[in-house]
Amino acid sequence: MKVTASLLIVYCTLFLSFYKSFGQSANLFDPQSKPQLVSKQFAFTEGPAVDKKGNIFFTDQPNNKIWKYDTDGKLSVFMDSAGRANGTYFDKKGNLIVCADEHNQMWQVKPNKEVKVLIKDFGGHLLNGPNDLWVHPNGNVYFTDPYYQRPWWTRTKPDLDHQKVFYLPKGKTQPIALEDSLKRPNGIVGTPDGKTLYVADIGDNKIYKFSIKADGTLGNKTIHIKQGADGMTLDALGNLYLAGNGVTIYNPQGEKIAHIDVPEPWSANLCFGGKNRDVLFITASTAIYTMKMNVKGVE
């Protein structure tokens, strides 16, 4: 076959694209490695969060429990009757902040399991159902509030007119609505410097990027990735990990660089944990998985 100059350019472009993607993914994990099944005893796993020691806490919402997976690989129930917990995140004081879906609240759960209700309503109206959250370095809590009809609710329609992104200023009890133009906001994560927020609109198959202003509000809304997600996390290189159909990884420029296959119908959420923060922990349908990485998380 005769190779023309234009065809050679196409080949070179494709090769460089493949090499760039493969090279970046190889820096993140061993290409021969696969996620390792830890346990498959749950109804539906969600909301992993890592504490200061590297222990991971995650939720089994249908069974109303919060579980702990410690750095030695031991599984134990941390909390029963857990408010139908969904997304979780640790604050700097070691409290677990919980999206408590049972009564559409936000909880603070202390290490001794004492519960404090941080949010019980929004201007007298029920929230749709806090889903996922991220705690800013200054203590403000950012969270998504999509509407998913739950079998444990008596209501059958939302009390609010939109599915919003909120933030709760530190020490306050009323959240502030930041964004109501998304179809169904779900996963949410921010950068460790507190300057950037990513929000997954699972209803419109997009990831949005916002700048966080000094007053806590959001600006500079842009479409960062044209792919939706359930949960999300970041690594120390600024790469964004999207849970959904397995795990898809994008670099800070919004370019896809890797995909991790997970042998489950759906990967709901993920975070980095372990003593060195280099173990990717994945909640996937009725199971949980771990995968050793060559990069650390930032949480």
Side-chain angles (χ1 to χ4, degrees):
M1 180 181 70
K2 184 178 180 180
V3 179
T4 64
S6 59
L7 191 58
L8 183 62
I9 292 173
V10 171
Y11 285 154
C12 289
T13 301
L14 290 172
F15 175 78
L16 289 173
S17 176
F18 170 79
Y19 181 81
K20 179 181 179 182
S21 177
F22 180 82
Q24 287 178 303
S25 64
N27 289 334
L28 300 179
F29 56 86
D30 180 350
Q32 302 303 316
S33 65
K34 295 180 180 180
Q36 300 300 303
L37 176 66
V38 175
S39 182
K40 198 177 178 73
Q41 59 177 293
F42 315 101
F44 190 80
T45 56
E46 251 286 10
V50 61
D51 69 9
K52 292 179 181 179
K53 295 180 179 179
N55 303 306
I56 296 168
F57 293 69
F58 65 96
T59 65
D60 183 359
Q61 190 178 43
N63 287 322
N64 205 12
K65 298 179 187 296
I66 298 175
W67 286 76
K68 178 181 179 181
Y69 178 72
D70 70 20
T71 55
D72 294 322
K74 180 183 176 182
L75 267 175
S76 59
V77 175
F78 170 71
M79 190 176 188
D80 277 309
S81 301
R84 301 285 182 179
N86 195 341
T88 68
Y89 202 95
F90 277 95
D91 67 16
K92 285 188 173 182
K93 295 183 179 180
N95 302 308
L96 188 64
I97 310 302
V98 174
C99 292
D101 195 83
E102 186 170 19
H103 299 296
N104 318 109
Q105 298 173 339
M106 186 76 70
W107 286 6
Q108 176 197 78
V109 181
K110 294 183 178 180
N112 65 2
K113 304 176 189 176
E114 179 184 336
V115 173
K116 177 182 178 181
V117 177
L118 298 179
I119 304 172
K120 66 177 182 178
D121 61 34
F122 175 57
H125 296 278
L126 286 176
L127 291 167
N128 291 323
N131 183 280
D132 203 1
L133 75 152
W134 172 72
V135 181
H136 191 281
N138 65 14
N140 292 343
V141 179
Y142 290 79
F143 67 97
T144 57
D145 187 46
Y147 189 87
Y148 292 98
Q149 185 65 46
R150 305 300 193 189
W152 49 84
W153 292 345
T154 57
R155 63 171 172 154
T156 57
K157 61 180 181 179
D159 212 19
L160 301 178
D161 56 356
H162 290 90
Q163 302 183 57
K164 307 175 191 287
V165 178
F166 288 94
Y167 94 104
L168 179 69
K170 184 179 179 181
K172 303 296 183 180
T173 60
Q174 276 292 295
I176 296 171
L178 297 174
E179 178 69 36
D180 64 5
S181 66
L182 307 188
K183 288 186 178 180
R184 180 168 278 179
N186 198 305
I188 188 168
V189 69
T191 55
D193 61 8
K195 295 181 179 180
T196 303
L197 187 73
Y198 297 99
V199 180
D201 186 350
I202 199 170
D204 198 29
N205 206 37
K206 292 181 178 66
I207 307 297
Y208 287 94
K209 180 180 180 180
F210 299 87
S211 60
I212 302 174
K213 299 178 182 180
D215 63 357
T217 59
L218 303 178
N220 299 323
K221 175 185 176 184
T222 58
I223 297 174
H224 185 57
I225 298 167
K226 291 183 178 180
Q227 177 183 328
D230 200 331
M232 301 188 292
T233 194
L234 287 162
D235 69 20
L237 300 177
N239 299 311
L240 190 63
Y241 293 61
L242 311 184
N245 177 21
V247 176
T248 310
I249 307 172
Y250 286 82
N251 67 18
Q253 291 73 46
E255 301 165 333
K256 181 179 175 179
I257 57 173
H259 182 84
I260 299 171
D261 290 325
V262 179
E264 299 293 340
W266 186 252
S267 298
N269 217 323
L270 70 175
C271 75
F272 282 83
K275 294 177 182 178
N276 298 315
R277 293 294 198 282
D278 60 355
V279 175
L280 187 64
F281 182 91
I282 306 164
T283 60
S285 299
T286 61
I288 53 173
Y289 289 80
T290 59
M291 185 167 170
K292 177 68 171 62
M293 304 294 287
N294 297 329
V295 65
K296 297 182 179 182
V298 297
E299 298 171 334

